[in-house]
């Protein structure tokens, strides 16, 4: 019976040692720290497609060179990551910085790097890079291309209904 208790104690001690390592920076108890002994996560790359829809408003802004700001907001859905909402607020004539927020609170950030015109539709095509995020998107990288499929004025001056589809690649490091 004594051997069984000793073996069980040894196994539990080994298991505990694999989960955390205690390191001392000096001899005071207040300077002990616990570090998780985790294997580094391998990056995973996903091809992502999806759709977005929402509104863009052009509003006066003294903070912008041209005197106007564009404010975009809406929702979308993507492969691999599901439903999200998005928002941006940038000076008219500048590239967009967009925040994508997922239901669990994770955020992904993109920065638009260029814009061209689709010769078939006359509507914009926006290229962006991923600039990290929070939660599962912390440290993420990648690129995306947004094809605007609808940009229509509403009854309210300066407000437009916008829709599009996107394709991209995202590398998640977590």
């Amino acid at each position: 019976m004594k051997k069984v208790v000793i073996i069980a104690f040894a196994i539990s001690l080994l298991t505990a040692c694999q989960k955390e390592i205690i390191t001392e920076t000096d001899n005071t108890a207040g300077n002990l720290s616990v570090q998780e002994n985790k294997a580094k996560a391998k990056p995973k790359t996903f091809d992502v497609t999806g759709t977005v829809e929402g509104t863009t408003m052009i509003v006066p802004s003294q903070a912008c060179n041209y005197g106007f700001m564009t404010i975009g907001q809406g929702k979308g859905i993507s492969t691999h990551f599901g439903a999200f909402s998005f928002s941006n607020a940038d000076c008219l004539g500048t590239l967009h910085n967009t925040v994508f927020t997922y239901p669990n609170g994770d955020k992904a950030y993109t920065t638009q790097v260029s814009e061209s015109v689709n010769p078939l539709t006359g509507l914009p095509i926006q290229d962006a890079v991923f600039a990290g995020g929070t939660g599962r998107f912390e440290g993420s990288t990648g690129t995306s291309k947004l094809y605007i499929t609808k940009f229509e004025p509403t009854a309210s001056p300066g407000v437009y209904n916008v829709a599009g589809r996107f394709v991209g690649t995202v590398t998640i490091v977590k």
Side-chain angles (χ1 to χ4, degrees), residues 46-67:
F46 301 95
D47 289 329
V48 181
T49 62
T51 58
V52 293
E53 62 180 33
T55 58
T56 293
M57 297 183 291
I58 300 173
V59 298
S61 173
Q62 292 180 351
C64 296
N65 287 338
Y66 297 113

Side-chain angles (χ1 to χ4, degrees), residues 53-131:
E53 62 180 33
T55 58
T56 293
M57 297 183 291
I58 300 173
V59 298
S61 173
Q62 292 180 351
C64 296
N65 287 338
Y66 297 113
F68 291 95
M69 174 176 277
T70 60
I71 300 172
Q73 61 185 11
K75 61 183 179 174
I77 190 158
S78 68
T79 57
H80 293 290
F81 303 115
F84 58 85
S85 62
F86 69 88
S87 64
N88 58 34
D90 306 283
C91 291
L92 185 65
T94 64
L95 300 175
H96 300 296
N97 292 301
T98 304
V99 177
F100 298 88
T101 304
Y102 291 81
N104 68 351
D106 289 355
K107 295 181 185 305
Y109 307 124
T110 64
T111 299
Q112 183 184 352
V113 294
S114 68
E115 182 169 292
S116 59
V117 174
N118 185 330
L120 299 175
T121 64
L123 295 171
I125 299 172
Q126 298 175 345
D127 293 296
V129 295
F130 284 86

